[in-house]
Amino acid sequence: MSEDSLPAPAPTRTAAVIPAAGRGVRLGPGAPKALRALGGTPMLIHAVRALAASRAVSLVVVVAPPDGAAEVRSLLDAHALPERTDFVVVPGGDTRQESVRLGLDALPPGYDVVLVHDAARPLVPVDTVDAVIEAVREGAPAVVPALPLADTVKEVTPAAVAGEPEPVAATPDRARLRAVQTPQGFDRATLARAHETVTEDVTDDASMVERLGLTVVVVPGHEEAFKVTRPLDLVLAEAVLARRRLNDGF
């Protein structure tokens, strides 16, 4: 077969997994964090739309609370979502790590790039999503968006009693530190191997890939991709959303 008649390589397909099974206790009592309203719309819907805004993302898997999959399916059905993107809802587990693994297990064959995104980061811009995908497509096994730190960071010796003074153990060089955001992007096979291999608790999926001895690379994050964790974050998110609506005219 000549080079001219060789079949074109299959396009790289991207899926996103959004774990949304957490309760969000720091936002106070009420609905799970991902179902809290932001501008009259659940944060989860904002997060789903943010990932689906990327033309590279053709499938979004939402990992719902274990007893809330039907509610989340109804929620997705009730809101306008891009028709070119497929949406799947699966029940999650007791931990974020387990929920991501269940989301991975739900992915059909043919998706080579996987994004993992916090439902509590509802306002991530599409340019950030695209930058993560592009870096994975260019060969990085794992990619995280991140920002330089504005504050000096202190490493401390934790107090035996909460609220007690804590002695400073070290002051890391701020120039070498980054605040990590999501979506984090992965070669699918690498992420699946990490979830099969790493059993201890970690704070993000990229840490699992690091445990495999592979390189995780950083791309620029965005200040609007912040995590809505506390009531003040919700106030800021409402302000960002109001400004977007004013600028976009909707």
Side-chain angles (χ1 to χ4, degrees):
M1 182 181 292
S2 68
E3 288 187 9
D4 292 340
S5 60
L6 287 174
T12 302
R13 301 179 74 196
T14 300
V17 174
I18 303 181
R23 302 303 303 182
V25 293
R26 281 176 288 183
L27 276 177
K33 183 196 307 183
L35 305 186
R36 301 293 179 91
L38 171 59
T41 300
M43 280 203 292
L44 174 60
I45 298 299
H46 287 287
V48 168
R49 287 173 174 167
L51 272 292
S54 170
R55 293 193 172 275
V57 175
S58 53
L59 172 66
V60 175
V61 176
V62 179
V63 187
D67 58 351
E71 180 184 3
V72 170
R73 285 191 191 96
S74 297
L75 199 65
L76 295 182
D77 289 342
H79 290 82
L81 299 172
E83 293 183 1
R84 58 181 166 75
T85 308
D86 293 326
F87 300 93
V88 175
V89 178
V90 298
D94 294 331
T95 66
R96 182 186 184 280
Q97 200 164 324
E98 185 181 356
S99 291
V100 172
R101 182 182 59 77
L102 291 168
L104 273 174
D105 291 345
L107 293 181
Y111 289 91
D112 305 307
V113 177
V114 179
L115 304 179
V116 180
H117 183 60
D118 294 332
R121 297 183 189 270
L123 300 177
V124 59
V126 68
D127 288 351
T128 302
V129 179
D130 287 339
V132 171
I133 295 169
E134 185 62 27
V136 178
R137 286 180 170 178
E138 289 178 353
V143 180
V144 297
L147 293 175
L149 296 184
D151 299 317
T152 296
V153 175
K154 301 288 185 183
E155 180 184 347
V156 302
T157 302
V161 179
E164 290 291 314
E166 298 175 321
V168 171
T171 302
D173 179 5
R174 188 175 68 186
R176 294 173 58 87
L177 301 177
R178 299 291 183 269
V180 173
Q181 303 176 323
T182 69
Q184 299 185 354
F186 304 90
D187 167 73
R188 179 181 180 171
T190 299
L191 184 58
R193 181 158 66 93
H195 274 270
E196 292 167 359
T197 306
V198 179
T199 56
E200 60 265 37
D201 286 339
V202 294
T203 54
D204 69 350
D205 296 273
S207 298
M208 302 175 73
V209 175
E210 290 174 45
R211 302 286 175 89
L212 299 180
L214 300 176
T215 299
V216 176
V217 301
V218 170
V219 297
H222 196 281
E223 61 183 4
E224 292 181 2
F226 62 90
K227 192 172 186 177
V228 178
T229 302
R230 299 173 177 85
L232 187 59
D233 300 326
L234 198 55
V235 174
L236 178 58
E238 292 279 5
V240 171
L241 190 61
R243 190 198 67 207
R244 285 185 181 182
R245 285 175 169 167
L246 183 64
N247 291 343
D248 295 343
F250 70 90

